[in-house]
Amino acid sequence: MTAFPLKRDVAALRAGRFDVLVIGGGIYGAWTAYDAASRGLSVALVEKRDWGAGTSSASSKLIHGGLRYLEHYEFGLVRHALKERRTLYRIAPHLVRPLNFVLPMWKGPRASPLMVSAGLHLYDLLAIGDQPVPRHKFHRPRDLLARYPFVDPERLLGGFRYGDCQEDDARMTLVVTAAAQSFGAVCANRVRAERLIEEQGRVCGAHLVDERSGERFALRAGVVVNAAGPWARDLLGADAPAIKLVKGTHLILPAIPGCNEAFLLTAADGRVFFVIPWYARTLVGTTESTVQHPSEAVPTIEETRYLLDGVRRGLPGIGWTESDVIGAFSGVRMLQAQDSASLAAVSREFEVRSPRPGLVMHVGGKYTTSRSDSIEIVDAVFRALDRKPPPAVTHRHPLPGAPEGPFEHWQAQAIARLAAAGVDLDAARWLTLRHGTGIDAMLDLIAERSALAGRIDEQAPFILAEAVHAIRNEMAFEVDDLARRRTPLSLLVHDGAWQPRLQALIESETAAG
């Protein structure tokens, strides 16, 4: 599928009656809208803020099977996630890229290389079919330290290398939303659902507010899907199912020189966390703690110290301190309400529920499995409409921007085209990994105005043409849209010198439009 511009059409929302209204523009809402539209339903998708503005831009940026879930015997979840890893890599090679992980092992009460080896063999076995990553491998201590001299050498038993995939969560959410619109879904951000419409004991729509104009209107639909994730309870009141909100915090730190691999480490309390290369920086996380409301998802100094202490325990040669922290962000996951001594043991299993007639929602789930989970949501929508669900097709269609043929061959040619247009090589590479064939839109803009080939900020590989394109074709209205979700600029560069430049672009594009 070629790149597809997003159009905000509130007039179409006001005028239409839809088979299904999806409330919430995170990854679950986007996939649900796409799956429903691709199966022939008329779909409206609304998001009160911006696409992926909540949990779906605050993840660990991974498409992975969840190796740690094997410890809790969630074999079905892991198998399901590994199958989705393969599917997403196939339909979105420009967004989902292989990444090697290193799992060091030290002598101690929890050390059991034999058990870890068995778990990794099972991980490889569950990942049946043509996978994008190689099978795991063991490295002896000498080899491991030769490759990664910053690993703690004391009592080191060696380490394992295994594969998973990485992505940009906010960009993926936006692209899936574009795919939904390409199949006829009417999509609009900054449209808030105030309350549900219920008639004769059945939910049949919602009262909406256009946050840009202030206009209020009612939208009627055969079924409403509440895909607002941790915010889903706000619309339901007493009918909201029991859930557990788990906050996770990540830190942004400098790149580890010469290292392109991620690490899976264990903190002092036995929890595992990631150290991941990301946009020439390092992403470290995540923590886990319960909260009562998503508004509490704010990083704390205690979480920063917890993660840095975990890194120092496993990778003391890096030497990071609090002064090295570039930034931090927190997100909230909505999990099933379970009593468990450890939050890590709370199941990520997914479940579709119908708290009221005509209303469908989900509890649990993972970013990696959101595409296939959405099939169950849409199946429930069809049943609520008293219609037989046709087969899902989202696994058949490449996502917008996916090139044809081998990705690496296309990427080399694309980088050459961007470089010839004046884009520096690092920015050109990241453009291909974020936009795929959508780089043609950037090249057209640069052809009109060569200065747009320059970076927004010299410290991050994002160019001005991306920002202009986002304003014109990706429903970006505010600086935060451009610097947090269309690009992760604000996570990577915190001095804020880019803010007036982006604000000026928004004002000039708004005046011209």
Side-chain angles (χ1 to χ4, degrees):
M1 186 186 293
T2 58
F4 192 89
L6 277 164
K7 179 184 178 182
R8 185 177 186 270
D9 193 351
V10 177
L13 290 177
R14 289 196 306 266
R17 177 182 173 89
F18 298 87
D19 292 322
V20 57
L21 165 63
V22 181
I23 299 172
I27 193 62
Y28 271 87
W31 275 118
T32 297
Y34 177 23
D35 184 87
S38 66
R39 287 203 256 174
L41 296 178
S42 58
V43 178
L45 171 63
V46 297
E47 158 58 40
K48 67 178 181 180
R49 294 170 58 199
D50 187 29
W51 309 115
T55 304
S56 295
S57 59
S59 74
S60 297
K61 326 297 182 187
L62 298 175
I63 299 296
H64 66 130
L67 178 63
R68 68 188 180 97
Y69 301 136
L70 292 178
E71 184 178 359
H72 304 293
Y73 308 108
E74 296 192 78
F75 303 125
L77 175 63
V78 174
R79 182 174 59 249
H80 177 38
L82 290 171
K83 181 180 179 182
E84 277 303 292
R85 185 184 71 181
R86 181 182 65 209
T87 298
L88 293 172
Y89 175 75
R90 178 173 50 80
I91 66 175
H94 57 312
L95 299 172
V96 179
R97 305 303 304 157
L99 178 66
N100 281 331
F101 284 75
V102 178
L103 200 171
M105 300 291 300
W106 293 274
K107 292 179 182 178
R110 285 178 58 88
S112 178
L114 186 61
M115 287 191 65
V116 172
S117 178
L120 286 167
H121 275 290
L122 179 59
Y123 201 62
D124 289 337
L125 182 64
L126 292 172
I128 57 175
D130 184 20
Q131 288 288 340
V133 299
R135 297 175 67 86
H136 80 279
K137 181 179 179 180
F138 180 75
H139 292 289
R140 297 184 182 279
R142 180 182 298 179
D143 296 334
L144 195 71
L145 290 171
R147 291 170 181 260
Y148 315 107
F150 44 82
V151 170
D152 185 1
E154 296 295 324
R155 301 181 299 163
L156 183 66
L157 298 171
F160 295 90
R161 187 268 302 140
Y162 71 97
D164 262 316
C165 288
Q166 186 174 40
E167 46 82 43
D168 183 315
D169 49 10
R171 171 58 51 176
M172 173 77 85
T173 302
L174 187 77
V175 169
V176 176
T177 302
Q181 193 171 90
S182 74
F183 273 85
V186 179
C187 308
N189 60 355
R190 290 184 166 75
V191 173
R192 175 170 53 88
E194 278 192 308
R195 65 186 185 278
L196 299 174
I197 299 173
E198 190 169 351
E199 295 176 353
Q200 298 179 342
R202 181 182 176 88
V203 174
C204 56
H207 293 282
L208 306 178
V209 181
D210 181 352
E211 297 284 16
R212 289 187 55 75
S213 69
E215 178 189 9
R216 285 177 161 79
F217 60 97
L219 186 150
R220 294 185 176 271
V223 176
V224 174
V225 174
N226 186 346
W231 291 265
R233 297 182 301 179
D234 295 348
L235 275 174
L236 295 177
D239 290 336
I243 60 173
K244 181 170 288 188
L245 297 182
V246 179
K247 168 191 167 188
T249 291
H250 293 80
L251 306 180
I252 308 291
L253 286 143
I256 302 174
C259 182
N260 295 314
E261 288 77 36
F263 286 81
L264 182 64
L265 301 177
T266 302
D269 60 0
R271 283 195 64 258
V272 298
F273 67 99
F274 298 114
V275 178
I276 305 168
W278 192 63
Y279 284 110
R281 305 288 192 276
T282 303
L283 190 66
V284 178
T286 178
T287 61
E288 286 186 323
S289 59
T290 57
V291 295
Q292 297 304 308
H293 192 269
S295 60
E296 299 173 34
V298 179
T300 66
I301 188 63
E302 290 78 17
E303 291 169 327
T304 296
R305 290 170 179 168
Y306 169 86
L307 290 171
L308 287 176
D309 178 68
V311 175
R312 279 192 291 267
R313 286 167 52 87
L315 311 177
I318 296 177
W320 284 328
T321 66
E322 291 178 32
S323 63
D324 293 304
V325 176
I326 298 168
F329 63 89
S330 297
V332 176
R333 288 156 286 173
M334 176 184 62
L335 304 180
Q336 298 186 34
Q338 296 176 339
D339 293 326
S340 176
S342 167
L343 289 177
V346 177
S347 176
R348 270 60 176 172
E349 287 287 0
F350 167 87
E351 182 178 314
V352 179
R353 300 186 184 180
S354 181
R356 300 181 196 170
L359 179 66
V360 174
M361 66 174 294
H362 77 274
V363 176
K366 286 165 49 67
Y367 196 104
T368 298
T369 60
S370 54
R371 185 205 67 86
S372 55
D373 291 343
S374 73
I375 296 171
E376 294 187 40
I377 296 173
V378 177
D379 283 348
V381 169
F382 273 101
R383 290 193 294 270
L385 292 170
D386 199 24
R387 294 165 59 178
K388 181 180 179 180
V393 297
T394 54
H395 64 289
R396 299 179 185 173
H397 301 289
L399 286 178
E404 296 181 1
F407 177 77
E408 287 71 19
H409 177 70
W410 171 86
Q411 184 185 39
Q413 294 180 329
I415 290 174
R417 291 174 63 205
L418 289 162
V423 180
D424 69 84
L425 289 177
D426 193 36
R429 174 177 171 273
W430 283 112
L431 273 170
T432 64
L433 294 175
R434 296 167 50 72
H435 294 272
T437 59
I439 64 163
D440 289 343
M442 259 57 73
L443 287 167
D444 289 343
L445 288 169
I446 293 168
E448 296 174 11
R449 185 177 161 200
S450 60
L452 295 180
R455 292 190 177 201
I456 300 169
D457 188 286
E458 289 303 314
Q459 299 177 72
F462 312 117
I463 65 172
L464 292 163
E466 283 186 89
V468 173
H469 174 71
I471 296 166
R472 294 182 183 180
N473 300 305
E474 294 181 346
M475 297 191 202
F477 299 103
E478 300 177 1
V479 168
D480 196 48
D481 300 345
L482 297 173
R484 179 63 178 85
R485 289 171 293 278
R486 305 307 180 276
T487 73
L489 176 61
S490 63
L491 295 180
L492 307 180
V493 182
H494 270 247
D495 60 22
W498 40 265
Q499 291 189 18
R501 177 174 260 190
L502 289 181
Q503 185 61 48
L505 273 181
I506 291 171
E507 291 172 2
S508 65
E509 288 296 319
T510 302

